[in-house]
Amino acid sequence: MAEKVLMKGNEAIGEAAVIAGCRYYFGYPITPQSELIEYMAKRLPQVNGVFLQAESEVAAINMVYGAAGAGARVMTSSSSPGVSLKQEGISYIAAGELPCVIVNIMRGGPGLGGIQPGQADYFQATKGGGHGDYHCIVVAPNSVQEMAELTVLAFNLADQYRNPVMLLGDGALGQMMEPVDFHNLPVIPVEKPWATTGMGERDKPNIIDTLRLNPETLEAVNDALQKKYALLQEQEVRWEETFTEDAELVLVAYGISSRVAYSAMEMARAQGYKVGLFRPITLWPFPKAALLKAVDKAAAVLTIELSAGQMVEDVSLAIRCSRPVHFYGRTGGMMMSPQDVYQQIVEIFETKGGK
């Protein structure tokens, strides 16, 4: 491809998935991610891949289970209520320790909600929307370039840890057009001796199962999963911070909200307010230790989300309730402006007195 290509975020995910080696896609159309399924329908046949529009989201996620079990790099995508329908299958995939990538381009909710951008699926993504003690790795881009980069990372992490990875975007990023550079995206192949690809030279078949009727066996499986999650929390935490060294107020935001927060931070800095920005890139595992360090000199924190307040709970836990955590959010698909956030910043500084 050319050095940079002007693409929508949804399309960038699709091209990056192909670069990462994804050759199987199963999904069902839903706004605002339909460009992704359209892109995969066109692109996968060009690389001898398989695209299949399933009859439902439930069918799609179970097709993902099958392809992942056979060792393929496989992806599905949807938006909010569609991902809700996939949750049982995601729980099965996590229990089977099968690598796959699940894309959620969030919309306003609850229920069918609307097609405008939202971030109210944070709990669903990070707290495990299905049943059981499991986690998806969750990555959150804030640009079309990162949509591509984190898609490739998602496939690499999924294979490395044998775990589902969710790319959590939103309707604004999915529809936004920006230049993307697809060069030098590090694709890391992983051997899969566990895959159900036939007996071959093995003495016994590989079996993938999630039903363990013996409670001791099931507990051992859960213990093994928790050890893997602990390792992920040690090794795969990602974040970005700006001007936190001297910040008296630290903004915390992810995805499209972080771009709004960045502009508000610049406005505040221009007026003499010492404001910094902390952006989690992995929402699970959440960068708790890094955030605690980032707010070391701050008097307060302001969490900004397109929701009624979800990540704000993880922020409070991360900083151990050591300083006030303020929240500002919009819901229903409404987008805050940099001026809105700036006004919140000014009010916090005025409340505590001075700059």
Side-chain angles (χ1 to χ4, degrees):
M1 302 184 74
E3 185 173 342
K4 286 193 176 183
V5 186
L6 186 65
M7 302 183 83
K8 280 190 173 185
N10 288 331
E11 297 167 337
I13 293 171
E15 184 59 32
V18 171
I19 291 170
C22 175
R23 294 297 179 267
Y24 295 86
Y25 174 93
F26 309 105
Y28 190 81
I30 181 173
T31 305
Q33 65 83 53
S34 293
E35 290 87 357
L36 175 49
I37 188 171
E38 180 183 8
Y39 191 88
M40 298 304 277
K42 175 181 69 177
R43 190 74 174 90
L44 278 178
Q46 297 172 354
V47 293
N48 296 318
V50 174
F51 166 88
L52 196 153
Q53 179 177 316
E55 63 267 32
S56 69
E57 289 88 350
V58 175
I61 196 63
N62 284 287
M63 292 173 185
V64 168
Y65 184 107
R73 282 199 161 182
V74 57
M75 181 173 77
T76 188
S77 65
S78 192
S79 177
S80 300
V83 176
S84 297
L85 290 169
K86 296 177 190 284
Q87 289 300 324
E88 181 188 28
I90 294 171
S91 176
Y92 274 75
I93 288 168
E97 294 195 84
L98 299 178
C100 68
V101 174
I102 303 151
V103 177
N104 183 359
I105 304 299
M106 295 178 284
R107 59 196 282 179
L112 279 177
I115 64 173
Q116 302 303 319
Q119 292 181 318
D121 298 354
Y122 180 91
F123 281 159
Q124 182 192 64
T126 63
K127 309 301 180 186
H131 60 286
D133 290 312
Y134 78 91
H135 286 286
C136 292
I137 302 168
V138 183
V139 295
N142 81 337
S143 68
V144 178
Q145 180 65 46
E146 276 198 353
M147 293 284 232
E149 293 171 357
L150 293 186
T151 295
V152 174
L153 175 66
F155 279 102
N156 292 339
L157 291 177
D159 278 357
Q160 180 181 350
Y161 291 97
R162 289 185 60 182
N163 208 78
V165 180
M166 182 172 290
L167 188 146
L168 198 64
D170 56 74
L173 289 171
Q175 299 297 318
M176 181 185 296
M177 294 189 76
E178 291 181 328
V180 188
D181 185 350
F182 288 99
H183 290 84
N184 302 318
L185 296 179
V187 179
I188 303 173
V190 176
E191 293 294 324
K192 301 180 180 180
W194 49 264
T196 55
T197 53
M199 284 286 287
E201 301 298 322
R202 289 190 292 269
D203 294 330
K204 54 183 179 180
N206 287 340
I207 297 175
I208 295 170
D209 190 13
T210 67
L211 177 64
R212 287 100 178 185
L213 295 178
N214 181 286
E216 288 82 4
T217 301
L218 183 56
E219 185 174 52
V221 169
N222 274 280
D223 288 343
L225 287 174
Q226 297 309 313
K227 289 179 181 178
K228 176 172 68 174
Y229 300 148
L231 181 64
L232 280 162
Q233 291 179 80
E234 290 177 7
Q235 298 187 353
E236 301 299 343
V237 180
R238 290 169 170 81
W239 72 93
E240 180 183 71
E241 52 187 300
T242 309
F243 296 136
T244 57
E245 297 86 357
D246 67 343
E248 297 176 12
L249 174 66
V250 173
L251 312 181
V252 184
Y254 72 95
I256 194 65
S257 296
S258 69
R259 295 175 68 144
V260 178
Y262 189 94
S263 295
M265 177 194 68
E266 289 187 316
M267 295 167 64
R269 282 265 167 182
Q271 296 301 316
Y273 295 104
K274 291 183 178 180
V275 179
L277 173 63
F278 186 93
R279 175 172 74 97
I281 297 174
T282 52
L283 301 183
W284 199 94
F286 191 80
K288 294 180 286 188
L291 177 57
L292 181 61
K293 183 178 179 181
V295 303
D296 183 55
K297 297 180 180 178
V301 176
L302 172 59
T303 303
I304 302 152
E305 305 175 58
L306 293 180
S307 74
Q310 297 187 16
M311 184 182 67
V312 64
E313 295 189 8
D314 281 340
V315 171
S316 296
L317 289 170
I319 68 170
R320 303 171 186 172
C321 302
S322 57
R323 47 191 47 76
V325 177
H326 304 270
F327 170 74
Y328 178 67
R330 299 296 299 271
T331 65
M334 295 296 293
M335 180 77 73
M336 76 276 290
S337 69
Q339 185 64 40
D340 293 332
V341 177
Y342 173 74
Q343 187 58 44
Q344 298 294 315
I345 293 170
V346 171
E347 290 179 8
I348 292 170
F349 273 93
E350 289 179 348
T351 299
K352 75 180 185 68
K355 295 182 180 180

